[in-house]
Amino acid sequence: MNREDKRNTLLLPAGPGGIAEAATILRAGGLVAFPTETVYGLGALASDPRAVAAIYRAKGRPSFNPLIAHVADVGQARREGRFDSRAEKLAAAFWPGPLTLVLPVAQGGSVCDLARAGLDSVGLRIPANGLARGLIAAAGGPVAAPSANLSGHVSPALPSHVLADLNGRIDAVLNGGACPVGVESTIVSLLGEAPVLLRPGGVSRAGIEHVLGESLAGAEEGIDAPVAPGQLASHYAPRAGVRLDALEVLEGEAGLDFGGRFAGAPGTILDLSPRGDLTEAAANLFSMLRLLDASGLQRIAVAPIPQEGLGEAINDRLRRAAAPRS
Ligand code: TXA
Ligand code: MG
C-alpha cells in the first residue's frame, strides 16, 4: 500500500473483529490509531523501520524524537528493556497504567533504531486499556506509538480528534471512545544513578516517589539532551493564545475554568471540573481546549489549577499551550 496515497481512514469497531483487522494492518506495515487510558496513540509495529518512518511522516514529527514502545505484558517488556529493582517496583505498582519507563535497551530487543531515535535506551509502557493490549498481543510485537495528532497539536482523547488531524493520512482508527485519563503517561528515566522525571503525567510524582522510596530528579538536573520533546516550548498548542492563572475572563476571551471560579461570567466558558477534582480535570483538558479553540475567540483564559497530584501534569501541558509559538 502506498502510504502517501491514502484516501479514507477506516473507523474500526471495538471488539475482536476490530482488533483482528487492526492487527492485520499493523503486521502489513500500516498505521493504526488506537485508544489507551491516556490519549489515542498512532501505532506501527515497533520492529518495522518503514512503518515507524510512516508515523513520523503522518505526524510531521521531527525524526530524532524517540517513540514509546507499547507492550502487552511484563514478559514482553523484559525482552525489550533491562529491568533493575527500581523498574521492577514501578512496573508492579503502576502497570498496566499511565507510566512510561525509560530503560537501557535489552540485548536482542525488537524495537528498531528509528523508533528509539538511535538511542541505546527504550521507553516502555503497558497501557491500561483492554483494546490496546489485545491489539498489541494480536500484532505479535511491541507497538510504537506517539500521540495520534499532528506534531505540535493538542493530543487526541476521542476518535474524532484523531480524524480531525489525520484522516486520510493513516490506515485506521480503532474506536475505543473517550480516554479516561486524558493526559499522557508520566515518563521516568532509570538510566542513571538517580531516577529522573522526564515528563509529568497520569501517575503523580508523589505516587512514584512513594514506591521508589526516593525523590525524582527533574529532567534539567539529571539528564543531557535529548530529552522528551514534550519539553519543547510550544508542544501542546491550540490556535488561540492562552493566558494562565486568570482570575477573570476578559472581553474577547473564552474561559477554561476549574472549580467554578468563572461561574456566572458571560461568554464561552467550560469548567474542567466544577467540583475541583483534578482527575476529572485531566480527563477533560484536551477536549475542552479543542472546543474553546473552535469558538474562534482570540485567547483562552485559564483559571489557576493547584500544582498537586495530576495538577502537575495539567499545569505542564497548559504552560506549553501558553508558550510563544515557534
Ligand atoms: O500516554 C502516552 O504516553 C501516549 C500514549 C499514546 O501512550 N504517548 C505519548 O507519546 O504521549 P509521545 O510520543 O507524544 O511522547 C512520548 C515521549 C516523548 O517525549 C519522547 O521523547 C519520550 O517519550 N521518550 C520515548 N523514548 C524515550 C527514550 N528512550 N529516552 C527519552 N525519552 C523518550
Ligand atoms: Mg505527543
Side-chain angles (χ1 to χ4, degrees), residues 282-305:
N284 286 328
L285 179 64
F286 291 129
S287 299
M288 289 188 173
L289 275 175
R290 276 176 191 269
L291 285 169
L292 293 176
D293 209 16
S295 73
L297 288 160
Q298 257 180 25
R299 201 162 56 189
I300 301 170
V302 184
I305 316 272

Side-chain angles (χ1 to χ4, degrees), residues 37-59:
E37 77 281 28
T38 59
V39 299
Y40 274 76
L42 178 57
L45 220 50
S47 57
D48 179 348
R50 282 188 28 186
V52 171
I55 292 182
Y56 291 119
R57 187 168 63 225
K59 281 188 62 107

Side-chain angles (χ1 to χ4, degrees), residues 299-326:
R299 201 162 56 189
I300 301 170
V302 184
I305 316 272
Q307 179 74 1
E308 66 195 35
L310 279 183
E312 189 177 0
I314 296 170
N315 283 322
D316 173 80
R317 304 305 187 271
L318 286 169
R319 273 196 303 277
R320 290 178 208 298
R325 308 298 151 76
S326 43

Side-chain angles (χ1 to χ4, degrees), residues 1-201:
M1 186 175 0
N2 180 351
R3 281 184 291 271
E4 299 289 4
D5 197 36
K6 291 195 171 70
R7 277 169 205 96
N8 264 316
T9 297
L10 295 169
L11 186 61
L12 301 173
I19 288 177
E21 200 168 340
T24 301
I25 293 170
L26 288 179
R27 284 198 304 267
L31 301 185
V32 178
F34 62 96
T36 80
E37 77 281 28
T38 59
V39 299
Y40 274 76
L42 178 57
L45 220 50
S47 57
D48 179 348
R50 282 188 28 186
V52 171
I55 292 182
Y56 291 119
R57 187 168 63 225
K59 281 188 62 107
R61 176 171 185 158
S63 59
F64 47 82
N65 290 342
L67 304 177
I68 296 170
H70 296 71
V71 292
D73 54 54
V74 180
Q76 195 173 36
R78 286 205 186 93
R79 291 196 288 279
E80 302 298 336
R82 290 214 310 272
F83 277 61
D84 62 11
S85 61
R86 303 171 300 183
E88 296 290 351
K89 278 193 228 169
L90 291 177
F94 298 112
W95 282 355
L99 175 67
T100 295
L101 297 178
V102 174
L103 303 176
V105 72
Q107 228 183 357
S110 68
V111 177
C112 68
D113 272 338
L114 183 58
R116 291 182 284 103
L119 301 173
D120 52 11
S121 58
V122 61
L124 293 167
R125 88 176 188 98
I126 305 179
N129 176 301
L131 284 172
R133 290 200 303 279
L135 175 61
I136 297 160
V143 173
S147 50
N149 51 275
L150 288 174
S151 192
H153 281 195
V154 174
S155 290
L158 282 170
S160 59
H161 299 162
V162 176
L163 290 170
D165 272 17
L166 298 175
N167 192 17
R169 300 175 71 92
I170 64 175
D171 295 291
V173 182
L174 184 57
N175 186 354
C179 302
V181 176
V183 290
E184 297 89 342
S185 60
T186 303
I187 304 179
V188 173
S189 167
L190 296 176
L191 299 178
E193 191 91 337
V196 178
L197 181 65
L198 292 181
R199 177 177 76 181

Side-chain angles (χ1 to χ4, degrees), residues 218-240:
E220 64 289 346
E221 304 161 49
I223 196 176
D224 298 321
V227 290
Q231 293 165 359
L232 293 175
S234 75
H235 191 67
Y236 298 87
R239 269 180 301 275

